[in-house]
Amino acid sequence: MSDSTQIVVDFANLSDITLIIINVSRVVFVIVNIWLFYSFLTVKNRPIWFQIIAFAGTWATINCLRDFIMPIAPNHYWVGYILSLLLLIPLSLVFKETLHAKLFVFFMVSSFSQANFSIFCSLEILVLGNMVGWLLLAGLLLELACIPLIRKYIRPHIKNILDVLDQQHRVFYFFPMLSFVLVAFYAGQTTYSLFTCVPLVLFTLMMGFSYYLIAVSIDQTKCNQQLELTSRTDSLTSLYNRRHMETRIQEEHERYQQTGVEFALISIDVDLFKIINDRYGHACGDFLLQSVSEDIRKSVRQSDTVARWGGDEFLLLLPGTNSKIAMELAEHISKTVGRHRYVYENNTLSVTVTIGVAVIKSGDTADGIIKNADTGMYQGKRVGRNRVVFFDNVDAGVTLTYLN
């Protein structure tokens, strides 16, 4: 090899065996790409024959167009890169993810695979002195063998990135697109030399490290979000806890002071819960609290906040709600729980709840309206349980609704 720094490969004059090896390498290259697509994306409810036709038909079309365009193309490398974009068609037909997620996966997979292809072509020329094809095929087979490891260790992180893409952070897909363009630029120089091989190796390592940093950042963000959620959530019922509810009530109270938009609180207590706990055990009591909390959760609006206030007591915050709407919701919850038959092991349990309702008024503090809702609930307990009591009627000793 007279010049190891710049060698131009004339594919038209390669031996038959070398051309066969290179064509086999291209088949392996396609298999690797498609397998990676399936590793990172989720298949739609499509029959297997449809998927095979989609990919095989597109690949056949690419080869036909390549054979037609190559003789007149100034750079056959760039023709191959441009035609590979047609693989976006089967990706759109076969997989569920958004277009931006599919673009991200396509350009990411294509960048790494094309970089790997070009690197091993360069190594073959630099090490062996000519294009034989065996080293190139060995490199692609190595990549193929690594796919199970990629699916096990890398796929979860890529899935996290795709989740971020689906949350409207679409700028992420520009990174693999730019990587794809840069790899195509190096390959399009039609030379295999140290001046192209070394930058490709370094760029591929940099790509991998960049994806690693993105994945670590997303994992850390998700971990922080989970910790934050755990700190605001009751572990038994998965409702918000007292700490979060106190914050939300304070926020809504400040909003009321600024805008005058009223809000309501509903305090709910399970009747005779201690007797159930003593008779059937704490495991049954926990089951009952989970079941009642689920009934409450399903009854409220999306804008409402539900929290386990403590023990067998729940507190609901209803933004932008007057007394009429709050009472109607409270009565609905009371009826829903009262009619439900909760089955635990061989026991069928029927429980009721007592509910207090309070609506913010001028001069009320955040703690004051919490106390008003509790006062309504305790008044209901005193006069017989299983009822809804509006705080404004407590002084007169009148309950607005009796539920039997």
Side-chain angles (χ1 to χ4, degrees), residues 123 144 231 269 285 340 342:
L123 289 175
L144 185 65
S231 71
D269 189 84
H340 198 151
Y342 303 98

Side-chain angles (χ1 to χ4, degrees), residues 352-376:
T352 59
V353 291
T354 300
I355 302 177
V357 179
V359 176
I360 189 73
K361 297 190 298 293
S362 178
D364 284 345
T365 63
D367 290 337
I369 187 174
I370 296 173
K371 182 178 179 182
N372 292 346
D374 274 344
T375 299

Side-chain angles (χ1 to χ4, degrees), residues 137-204:
L137 181 58
L140 290 170
L141 290 175
L142 177 63
E143 185 179 2
L144 185 65
C146 289
I147 290 182
L149 296 176
I150 292 172
R151 290 173 63 88
K152 182 177 180 179
Y153 295 107
I154 298 178
R155 177 168 63 174
H157 300 296
I158 299 300
K159 288 286 189 180
N160 285 341
I161 296 175
L162 297 185
D163 288 341
V164 172
L165 275 169
D166 287 340
Q167 296 169 8
Q168 308 303 315
H169 298 277
R170 296 168 180 170
V171 69
F172 275 125
Y173 87 88
F174 282 107
F175 175 70
M177 182 184 292
L178 293 174
S179 303
F180 179 82
V181 171
L182 189 55
V183 170
F185 170 77
Y186 276 116
Q189 304 307 303
T190 66
T191 62
Y192 293 96
S193 65
L194 285 174
F195 291 113
T196 56
C197 183
V198 172
L200 270 174
V201 172
L202 294 176
F203 179 68
T204 304

